[in-house]
Amino acid sequence: MALAVLLCAALVTGLLAFATGNGWALWVVGAHGVAGLAIVLIIPWKSTVVRRGMGRSRPGRGASVLLAAMTFVALTSGFMFSTGLVLRYGPLNAMQVHVGSAVVAIAVALVHVWQRPVRPRAVDLERRNLLRAGALAGTAIAAYAGLEGAMRLLRLPGERRRDTGSHERGSFDPAAMPVVSWFDDKIPNVDGWLLTVKAGGGLRTWTIAELGEFADHVTATLDCTSGWYATQEWTGVRIDRLLGTLAGESILVTSATGYRRRYPIGDAPRLLLATGVGGNPLSPGHGAPARLVAPGRRGFWWVKWVTEISVEERPWWVQAPFPLT
Ligand SMILES: Nc1nc2c(c(=O)[nH]1)N[C@H]1C(S)=C(S)[C@@H](COP(=O)(O)O)O[C@H]1N2
Ligand SMILES: [Mo]
């Protein structure tokens, strides 16, 4: 029962960690780490149950073994990522292995709980068990703090990770910054590129040269959920200048590839449509001729190869929490 609760806690905090750019990141990511360590701490108790179960042959053993294996992979890849000890596994990065194994583990856990049901009982909430849960949480928090301290003592790369858990890659050196897609977007052909802006019932198009007349700039950190971040000096034009009117609920920003995200209208002054980075024009991989810079938001909000910006009546939260393509 405790494992089921902890698995849910790990899932929820993991999803939240992907959605959080700043502010709460330290607490959300910390809670995720504590949930993982609590799972490790109850392995001795679970292994007694496992040993008993393995003696009998029952259906569902395959699922049990797969669940154990995937949990092991998710825990170790998470630990290796946090400490910065292993950030790649052949063609995959640490976060792909971590999230991939966790998704399989969650799916198999549902099968496992269905095959080996444990009914919640009133005694689960008795004083003794609540004290045990508290002791487990306290020990896991202490273990997390201990690991942070050990990372500092041993000078592991993890000591320098950001609140989101991301490791630094290529700050103030755009050429060294990774080129990343959320899923499978490829660099599109942007010959004859024009930006279409729809706001207040009007429509206007902008050429690259016209956008180049603006000189807004911001120093902002791109923090990709795949586990790296880079701070750069971005130049371009503030979205509120392009829109003119802010009469509407949300701003929809669309890429030449069809990739799109929707933002609250109040974000307009903070959103920059960047045409340059580090004093140079954007490279094709980083979104040329224009890409969004969304300070404080995770990388998947930083739409590249932007072709259209429109103000709409639909609230910003009417969209999937994470891009679907
Ligand atoms: N059109 C488009 N924009 C996109 C993406 C994408 O797949 N398609 N990926 C996003 C993600 S997940 C990240 S982390 C950043 C990466 O930007 P970079 O390649 O300049 O480092 O772009 C974002 N913008
Ligand atoms: Mo990303």
Side-chain angles (χ1 to χ4, degrees):
M1 194 66 77
L3 270 174
V5 170
L6 286 172
L7 221 51
C8 288
L11 174 67
V12 170
T13 52
L15 285 170
L16 281 177
F18 260 34
T20 317
N22 54 7
W24 291 96
L26 185 65
W27 300 102
V28 172
V29 173
H32 189 65
V34 168
L37 287 170
I39 292 175
V40 174
L41 285 171
I42 48 177
I43 287 177
W45 284 271
K46 180 66 176 179
S47 48
T48 328
V49 181
V50 169
R51 227 168 294 133
R52 224 184 303 132
M54 288 309 242
R56 289 175 287 162
S57 137
R58 294 189 286 170
R61 175 178 292 185
S64 306
V65 172
L66 184 59
L67 173 56
M70 287 299 117
T71 308
F72 175 79
V73 174
L75 286 168
T76 44
S77 59
F79 176 82
M80 291 300 178
F81 171 80
S82 302
T83 52
L85 287 172
V86 184
L87 296 176
R88 279 213 83 81
Y89 300 82
L92 299 175
N93 69 44
M95 202 51 75
Q96 286 167 325
V97 172
H98 183 64
V99 173
S101 55
V103 166
V104 177
I106 297 286
V108 181
L110 292 175
V111 176
H112 182 71
V113 169
W114 173 65
Q115 283 173 324
R116 308 256 193 282
V118 190
R119 206 168 300 147
R121 294 162 306 170
V123 290
D124 290 337
L125 289 176
E126 268 176 10
R127 204 177 120 85
R128 197 166 71 115
N129 280 325
L130 291 181
L131 285 175
R132 278 177 170 171
L136 176 64
T139 313
I141 291 169
Y144 190 86
L147 273 172
E148 289 288 335
M151 275 195 250
R152 290 202 163 82
L153 275 179
L154 300 172
R155 310 247 123 155
L156 298 187
E159 79 170 316
R160 290 184 304 274
R161 73 199 199 283
R162 219 173 164 236
D163 284 358
T164 56
S166 293
H167 299 271
E168 199 275 323
R169 291 275 302 275
S171 285
F172 302 105
D173 182 8
M177 182 171 80
V179 168
V180 168
S181 277
W182 173 257
F183 195 50
D184 60 353
D185 261 10
K186 308 243 166 1
I187 300 174
N189 182 351
V190 290
D191 289 349
W193 182 90
L194 279 178
L195 173 72
T196 304
V197 176
K198 295 180 189 159
L203 182 152
R204 121 142 239 206
T205 55
W206 297 80
T207 63
I208 304 171
E210 286 171 326
L211 289 182
E213 318 233 312
F214 296 91
D216 292 327
H217 52 92
V218 65
T219 302
T221 303
L222 198 175
D223 189 334
C224 174
T225 50
S226 71
W228 60 270
Y229 75 88
T231 304
Q232 310 288 1
E233 282 157 1
W234 306 91
T235 47
V237 50
R238 265 168 38 195
I239 297 289
D240 58 341
R241 290 195 211 276
L242 295 176
L243 296 178
T245 165
L246 294 182
E249 283 291 318
S250 64
I251 307 165
L252 181 63
V253 177
T254 309
S255 166
T257 63
Y259 186 96
R260 53 174 69 187
R261 289 309 282 167
R262 193 181 283 281
Y263 310 77
I265 191 79
D267 276 17
R270 283 187 299 279
L271 295 174
L272 183 83
L273 185 68
T275 49
V277 60
N280 291 309
L282 291 176
S283 67
H286 290 309
R291 71 98 49 85
L292 202 66
V293 167
R297 290 181 181 267
R298 295 304 286 272
F300 66 84
W301 291 92
W302 296 43
V303 181
K304 298 192 278 192
W305 315 295
V306 172
T307 52
E308 188 175 310
I309 301 176
S310 58
V311 173
E312 306 200 342
E313 289 308 324
R314 194 189 275 217
W316 71 270
W317 41 264
V318 183
Q319 67 182 327
F322 302 108
L324 299 177
T325 59

